Amino acid sequence: MYYTEETVVFWNGEFVKAKDAKVGLYNQTMHYGNGVFEGIRSYDTPDGTRIFKAKEHYDRLHYSAEKMHIQLSYTSEELETITYRLLELNGLKDAYIRPLVYLGENMSLTPTQDVHVVIMAWEWGKYLGDSMLKVMLSSYQRPNPNACHVQAKVVGHYTNSILATTEAKQKGFDEALLTDIHGNIAEGPGANFFYEKDGVLYTAPLGNILSGITRATVFEIADELDIQVVEKFFKPEEIYTADAAFFCGTAAEVIGIAQFNDYKFPLNWEDSNSHMIQRKYKRRVAFNEYRNVYL
Ligand code: PMP
């Protein structure tokens, strides 16, 4: 349940009941997928409700909008202030926040100046759950970076994600792992991927993946823990030599992977550096975003 009779959203400049917000049938976003969005989390910390890396998320929303020629009239700071008010109005502390910038009536393939900003929030558990995952190599690849802006969080890109996750679930897996157009491992449908070998973490470089804010946080945490992280292109076969692996993203946080296709990662999750990253990530977001204050 995403909303109730009482839920308030920020929509077209004001706070209204979610049930009263109406979207037109001729909107470009609905027909062609041209819209941009974010996925953000707030946490109930000892300092009060804190939105984790709000500026980074809203800056990325601006980046996405710019790439898609969408005029976004609010600054990141304004959007952050609005989001805190939205949480307050809904009595939410630990929440998932979904800003969406969608376009109005336009059936042609050109952008429109009719831009709508909506921000919604609801309580949402970890997107991929709390249990170690069974992941399959997808038969789908991530979108071609020469065909679209893969570092932008565009509504239409998520049809690829839906196909990949659906295929994985139909085959009895929890989630998919996708390659890029050159057959290197890229990322999951809604999370970045890391594997661990001899204590070192490996992940795909930017270029074919979303530049995840959680991915960047993993880099920061690894640095603090003196864990080496290497960005490089690698083929799926390389994962069969790994000790451990995980997905990370705002909605999923950091979640361990038990199995990739039929390969079971040999290292006990609790003994891995990946697990240390997972624990520290949880503490980072649940206390506050400032380094080492409560750690
Ligand atoms: N890759 C994709 C395709 C995603 O949708 C997400 C979720 N936004 C991520 C990675 C992780 O990004 P973040 O850590 O910024 O949530």
Side-chain angles (χ1 to χ4, degrees):
M1 169 99 87
Y2 299 106
Y3 69 100
T4 66
E5 291 278 302
E6 301 310 316
T7 303
V8 171
V9 297
F10 178 79
W11 184 57
N12 291 338
E14 48 187 353
F15 293 100
V16 301
K17 292 267 172 74
K19 67 180 169 68
D20 297 330
K22 302 272 181 290
V23 179
L25 292 178
Y26 298 85
N27 283 356
Q28 196 186 46
T29 308
M30 192 147 88
H31 290 256
Y32 306 135
N34 185 23
V36 295
F37 70 105
E38 266 305 317
I40 312 176
R41 272 193 191 276
S42 65
Y43 292 90
D44 183 11
T45 80
D47 301 334
T49 304
R50 287 285 181 273
I51 303 169
F52 187 65
K53 296 201 170 181
K55 182 171 166 32
E56 285 86 338
H57 281 282
Y58 281 124
D59 284 352
R60 188 170 65 187
L61 188 68
H62 274 273
Y63 168 85
S64 303
E66 194 188 308
K67 286 291 174 204
M68 298 310 291
H69 312 284
I70 296 170
Q71 299 281 333
L72 181 51
S73 56
Y74 300 92
T75 64
S76 293
E77 291 70 26
E78 286 167 340
L79 290 167
E80 181 174 343
T81 306
I82 292 165
T83 308
Y84 272 110
R85 182 76 188 124
L86 179 76
L87 293 173
E88 216 172 79
L89 288 172
N90 286 293
L92 288 166
K93 293 181 167 139
D94 282 306
Y96 181 78
I97 300 152
R98 168 56 56 80
L100 169 67
V101 183
Y102 67 92
L103 301 175
E105 289 180 16
N106 181 11
M107 289 298 104
S108 73
L109 298 176
T110 51
T112 164
Q113 299 302 316
D114 185 12
V115 177
H116 303 259
V117 176
V118 57
I119 309 179
M120 300 157 267
W122 62 90
E123 279 176 2
W124 217 22
K126 289 173 72 174
Y127 178 66
L128 295 168
D130 266 317
S131 315
M132 298 285 290
L133 303 173
K134 238 178 101 177
V135 170
M136 70 165 266
L137 180 65
S138 185
S139 69
Y140 296 96
Q141 295 187 326
R142 289 298 290 161
N144 182 341
N146 297 318
C148 59
H149 296 286
V150 291
Q151 277 181 222
K153 212 166 155 58
V154 179
V155 173
H157 294 179
Y158 283 81
T159 51
N160 170 258
S161 301
I162 290 171
L163 287 171
T165 299
T166 305
E167 177 190 48
K169 297 232 185 241
Q170 281 174 348
K171 295 200 164 157
F173 290 84
D174 301 308
E175 188 55 297
L177 180 59
L178 294 88
T179 51
D180 63 23
I181 56 163
H182 302 294
N184 296 306
I185 290 293
E187 61 184 333
N192 292 114
F193 173 82
F194 287 74
Y195 80 78
E196 176 178 337
K197 172 79 181 164
D198 297 331
V200 177
L201 298 181
Y202 297 88
T203 195
L206 297 183
N208 300 283
I209 60 170
L210 192 80
S211 179
I213 289 161
T214 319
R215 177 182 182 275
T217 309
V218 166
F219 278 56
E220 287 167 23
I221 294 173
D223 187 47
E224 289 165 19
L225 294 174
D226 267 333
I227 297 168
Q228 196 191 346
V229 186
V230 177
E231 291 177 273
K232 66 164 194 169
F233 294 110
F234 56 92
K235 299 285 181 219
E237 295 71 48
E238 200 167 312
I239 301 176
Y240 298 132
T241 66
D243 301 326
F246 63 89
F247 274 135
C248 70
T250 300
E253 301 186 334
V254 176
I255 181 71
I257 299 173
Q259 190 178 330
F260 173 62
N261 287 345
D262 53 7
Y263 175 74
K264 293 194 170 71
F265 293 101
L267 188 60
N268 207 339
W269 176 249
E270 277 71 32
D271 299 330
S272 66
N273 280 345
S274 303
H275 178 244
M276 277 168 62
I277 302 261
Q278 180 189 43
R279 280 180 43 218
K280 195 151 173 177
Y281 181 80
K282 191 71 217 179
R283 273 146 58 195
R284 169 76 46 88
V285 294
F287 287 93
N288 73 26
E289 64 185 278
Y290 307 106
R291 286 179 175 225
N292 299 325
V293 175
Y294 296 98
L295 305 181

